[in-house]
Amino acid sequence: MKRILIILAHPGYHRSHANRAMLKALKGLEDVKVHDLYQHYPNMFIDVAREQRMLRDYDIIVFQHPIYWYSCPAIQKEWMEQVLEYGYAFGPDGNALKHKYLLAAVTTGGSESSYSAIGHNHHPITDYLLPIQQSGLMCGMRWLPPFVVYGYHSVNDPDYLKMKGQQYRRLLTALRDEEFTPQQLHNATYLTDLLKEL
């Protein structure tokens, strides 16, 4: 069984519908820990040694956050720059994260159709996640297909959010319990593509 660390970066978490629904659905899930960066580091001063010690104990690292200006919130970027340092996460002796899995679990203000070649965002969400993906690959991590909740600005349907939360819980459970083959993970564009395999 894999252990999962969710690194949450949401500066307005108390106002979030989608991210709160996602985490609410995970309550009581064994071997899943949520680490809220804004709660621990409201002044953005990251305790690098603490973060690196924590990472050691987990097999699957999840970056959960809303997409802000086609990227992650500032504290997530700060965390990456400070924690994923040379000699720890990359470089000749930087193997601490090698073979761990990296998952992006993101929410977007725009609809799914807006994230396409003909939509106003002009690219699929996977293009905007490339910097995170490549950062993980640089650290020797294995990239997982992302979990995406689109259109959080317009979603106020509690049943829809509950359904997305249940999907998130089911898919993280499957990752924790190693229910997917490496080939299934490689072939999926989005993590939700794998729901049909369960």
Side-chain angles (χ1 to χ4, degrees):
M1 182 181 290
K2 304 286 188 189
R3 301 190 72 208
I4 299 175
L5 175 64
I6 297 174
I7 299 176
L8 174 69
H10 197 315
Y13 179 70
H14 64 286
R15 297 190 308 270
S16 167
H17 296 292
N19 278 276
R20 281 194 296 147
M22 291 164 66
L23 292 189
K24 182 179 178 184
L26 300 183
K27 282 191 175 173
L29 194 57
E30 190 179 357
D31 284 319
V32 176
K33 175 186 173 75
V34 178
H35 180 53
D36 184 341
L37 292 182
Y38 280 103
Q39 182 182 52
H40 285 280
Y41 305 112
N43 297 318
M44 303 275 284
F45 296 115
I46 307 288
D47 184 338
V48 173
R50 176 177 186 260
E51 297 296 307
Q52 292 178 347
R53 282 195 305 273
M54 186 165 51
L55 287 170
R56 187 176 52 203
D57 296 331
Y58 293 89
D59 309 291
I60 300 172
I61 311 302
V62 181
F63 289 171
Q64 181 179 328
H65 57 82
I67 295 293
Y68 283 174
W69 288 107
Y70 307 108
S71 186
C72 56
I75 200 168
Q76 180 71 70
K77 184 68 163 52
E78 177 73 4
W79 184 96
M80 292 173 69
E81 291 177 3
Q82 296 297 321
V83 176
L84 305 181
E85 62 184 352
Y86 181 83
Y88 168 78
F90 69 99
D93 299 317
N95 299 315
L97 303 177
K98 193 172 184 179
H99 302 312
K100 292 181 184 288
Y101 289 91
L102 179 60
L103 169 67
V106 300
T107 58
T108 71
S111 66
E112 184 170 5
S113 61
S114 76
Y115 283 93
S116 67
I118 60 172
H120 68 262
N121 292 309
H122 302 293
H123 299 275
I125 189 65
T126 47
D127 283 6
Y128 295 109
L129 296 175
L130 280 173
I132 296 174
Q133 177 180 359
Q134 182 55 34
S135 298
L137 295 175
M138 184 76 174
C139 298
M141 302 178 80
R142 292 178 278 197
W143 178 248
L144 292 166
F147 181 88
V148 184
V149 178
Y150 291 99
Y152 65 73
H153 284 315
S154 57
V155 172
N156 285 314
D157 180 353
D159 291 335
Y160 174 78
L161 292 174
K162 184 176 180 181
M163 180 269 291
K164 296 305 290 185
Q166 289 170 340
Q167 287 182 349
Y168 192 42
R169 181 185 177 96
R170 182 66 189 97
L171 288 163
L172 288 190
T173 301
L175 290 172
R176 181 198 65 185
D177 298 343
E178 302 178 72
E179 295 181 44
F180 300 124
T181 66
Q183 194 63 41
Q184 286 174 319
L185 293 171
H186 177 76
N187 291 341
T189 302
Y190 299 100
L191 200 60
T192 45
D193 296 344
L194 295 171
L195 284 168
K196 61 181 182 295
E197 309 291 343
L198 298 172

